[in-house]
Amino acid sequence: MKLSSASKRAIERNYYQSCEWFCDFKESGIEGIGYEKGIHRRDPSSVIKVGDDYFVWYSRSVGPHKGFHTGDEEAKVFPWDYCDIWYAVSKDGYRWEEKGPAVVRGERGAYDDRSVFTPEILEYEGKYYLVYQVVQHPYVNRSFESIAIAVADSPHGPFTKSKEPILTPTKDGIWEGEEDNRFAVKKKGSFDSHKVHDPILFAFRGKFYLYYKGEPMGEELYMGGRETKWGVAIADNILGPYHRSEYNPVTNSGHETCLWQYNGGIAAFLRTDGVEKNTIQFAEDGINFEIKSVIKQGPEACGPYRHLESDSNPLKGMEWGLCHDVSQDYGFIKRFDIDEWQKKVYTNREMYE
Ligand code: AAL
C-alpha cells in the first residue's frame, strides 16, 4: 500500500483514533477581578483548590502608565510596573472575591523595590510557594529582570520572601553605547541574557523544575513574532539553588509560560510568539518537548486549574482556568474553558466511530 508522508504521520501520531491533544477554547467574563477602570489585573497564576475554595494570584497595579524616557525616573513605565501580587478566592471559579496583597514590593534599595509581578503558585508538602518576577528601581529599557520566591504556611499568607532572587538573567551580552536602548548590542548573549520572566514551578522527578521565559539583550523580531523562548532551571531544594538545564532553551517559541503535569511528564501550551506559537507540546522528561497539536489562537497568559488527578487525558490539566485580556485601557482577568464541543470530541470519541 502506498502511503504519503502525511498519511504515515497521521497513523504514527494516532490522528484517526484519537484527537485527545486537540481542542478549542472559549473565554468568559468573571466577577470580582474582571475589568475595572484604574486598576490593572493581569498574568494570573495557575488556580489551585484548598478546602472548598479556588485560589488565584495575579499582578495588580493602579493607574495609567507613561512609557520610558519621560525624564521622570518615578513615572510608571508599563502596566506591570509598580505592581504588587494580590490574590482572590472563589467557590465556583466565576465569582471571585479579591482578598488583598500576598507579596508587596520591597523597601527602596531592595532587589524588588520597583515591582513584583507575574506570579505562579506551587502547593508542596503543606506549604505554599509563590514564584514571581522582580524589578529594581529605576525601571529603564535596559533593566535586568529576575525571579524570586516566597513561602507561606497558608494560601492566605503571610508570605516570607527569599533574601535574593533565585534566578537572574545571564547578562552575558554586551550593550552597544550608553543610550538606554535594549535593542542596541555588540553581542546578544544567551537567550535569557536580559530577562527571566513568567516563572512556573513543579515538583518533578524528585527535583524542582522552574520553567521561565527568557529574553535576550538585543532581542529581535522574527517572522513568528518576538524572540522569546523558555528555559528550565532545576534544584534539589525547593528554595534553590536553581541551575539552568544544559539543554536550555527547551522551546524555540512561546510567550507567557503555561504548563501542566500529565502522565509523568510536562505538557505546555505555547502562544503569541515564535514559529511554534499556538501549539501544545509534551516532554516526558520535562526537557525534550514535541509538538502534539496545533490549535487556534487560545487564551492569553493562562493559569489553568491544577487538577490533582490530571492523567485521565492530556488536556485535563488545561480544562479551565484564568487568563488575561489586555485589549482595553486596563488589563483584566477572564476565565477560559475548553470548548464544550471539543470536550465531547476528546472525551466521547465513540460518537465519531
Ligand atoms: C507578560 C509576561 C511578563 C512580562 C510582562 C508582564 O505577559 O510575559 O509579565 O514581563 O508581560
Side-chain angles (χ1 to χ4, degrees):
M1 188 169 133
K2 291 195 182 354
L3 285 175
S4 65
S5 303
S7 303
K8 282 188 207 150
R9 189 166 64 243
I11 292 167
E12 239 169 64
R13 297 187 182 187
N14 211 17
Y15 290 168
Y16 300 132
Q17 293 299 313
S18 141
C19 38
E20 53 183 3
W21 286 93
F22 289 79
C23 72
D24 276 347
F25 293 102
K26 63 174 186 197
E27 293 174 30
S28 45
I30 54 171
E31 286 173 30
I33 48 175
Y35 178 84
E36 185 180 346
K37 191 149 190 81
I39 312 250
H40 284 284
R41 294 184 182 86
R42 49 177 295 146
D43 290 295
S45 69
S46 295
V47 175
I48 60 166
K49 193 166 192 186
V50 186
D52 290 337
D53 291 319
Y54 294 111
F55 282 76
V56 69
W57 288 260
Y58 48 91
S59 314
R60 187 183 187 278
S61 77
V62 180
H65 63 286
K66 302 213 164 103
F68 292 101
H69 308 137
T70 54
D72 175 9
E73 272 192 353
E74 308 294 329
K76 180 174 176 179
V77 298
F78 281 134
W80 52 89
D81 188 9
Y82 289 112
C83 273
D84 295 308
I85 294 165
W86 283 50
Y87 77 111
V89 300
S90 172
K91 295 269 184 236
D92 61 5
Y94 292 94
R95 281 168 300 164
W96 291 84
E97 184 194 342
E98 185 163 72
K99 299 295 275 186
V103 172
V104 299
R105 283 161 273 162
E107 299 284 306
R108 201 38 93 86
Y111 69 80
D112 60 351
D113 66 355
R114 183 71 184 230
S115 195
V116 291
F117 55 121
T118 313
E120 257 299 342
I121 184 74
L122 176 66
E123 179 182 4
Y124 181 72
E125 293 188 338
K127 289 191 191 287
Y128 298 85
Y129 296 87
L130 283 173
V131 285
Y132 50 95
Q133 294 180 202
V134 294
V135 185
Q136 194 168 24
H137 180 82
Y139 203 164
V140 295
N141 245 301
R142 286 185 172 179
S143 284
F144 290 99
E145 298 184 16
S146 303
I147 291 169
I149 193 167
V151 56
D153 292 329
S154 152
H156 294 285
F159 281 89
T160 306
K161 298 182 196 178
S162 51
K163 292 215 160 50
E164 288 168 16
I166 52 167
L167 195 73
T168 51
T170 58
K171 302 184 183 174
D172 56 354
I174 303 170
W175 295 123
E176 166 93 72
E178 294 303 311
E179 189 200 331
D180 180 35
N181 177 346
R182 73 185 182 91
F183 303 111
V185 281
K186 289 200 178 100
K187 186 181 137 205
K188 287 164 78 171
S190 311
F191 80 103
D192 51 354
S193 57
H194 193 197
K195 304 193 183 231
V196 289
H197 277 170
D198 297 88
I200 175 167
L201 184 59
F202 294 99
F204 184 62
R205 296 192 164 191
K207 294 185 189 282
F208 299 94
Y209 278 52
L210 178 72
Y211 292 88
Y212 62 95
K213 177 191 85 190
E215 289 180 18
M217 298 161 66
E219 184 197 333
E220 290 176 85
L221 289 177
Y222 293 131
M223 202 179 112
R226 292 185 54 191
E227 189 182 357
T228 52
K229 298 171 185 143
W230 300 355
V232 62
I234 302 168
D236 292 328
N237 183 311
I238 194 163
L239 295 176
Y242 281 87
H243 301 290
R244 287 170 160 85
S245 164
E246 291 175 346
Y247 292 93
N248 276 358
V250 295
T251 70
N252 54 41
S253 302
H255 200 88
E256 297 98 348
T257 54
C258 171
L259 301 110
W260 63 98
Q261 286 182 283
Y262 167 64
N263 203 17
I266 303 275
F269 166 44
L270 279 65
R271 196 190 179 279
T272 313
D273 290 307
V275 173
E276 293 184 5
K277 64 172 171 274
N278 302 330
T279 63
I280 293 181
Q281 308 195 3
F282 179 69
E284 209 186 314
D285 61 0
I287 303 278
N288 291 290
F289 285 91
E290 299 289 349
I291 296 179
K292 292 301 217 177
S293 61
V294 177
I295 59 163
K296 271 199 298 203
Q297 178 108 319
E300 191 165 325
C302 302
Y305 171 55
R306 280 207 182 145
H307 284 277
L308 291 181
E309 187 39 74
S310 62
D311 283 354
S312 49
N313 73 54
L315 300 185
K316 187 74 183 163
M318 199 52 196
E319 192 173 31
W320 72 273
L322 300 181
C323 57
H324 74 201
D325 184 328
V326 293
S327 62
Q328 300 192 36
D329 52 351
Y330 286 89
F332 61 102
I333 296 181
K334 289 206 281 215
R335 173 175 166 129
F336 73 82
D337 284 85
I338 284 181
D339 187 79
E340 277 303 319
W341 182 80
Q342 289 289 342
K343 211 187 267 179
K344 284 193 197 109
V345 174
Y346 77 80
T347 54
N348 277 342
R349 204 173 88 199
E350 317 78 60
M351 64 192 245
Y352 294 90
E353 289 176 343

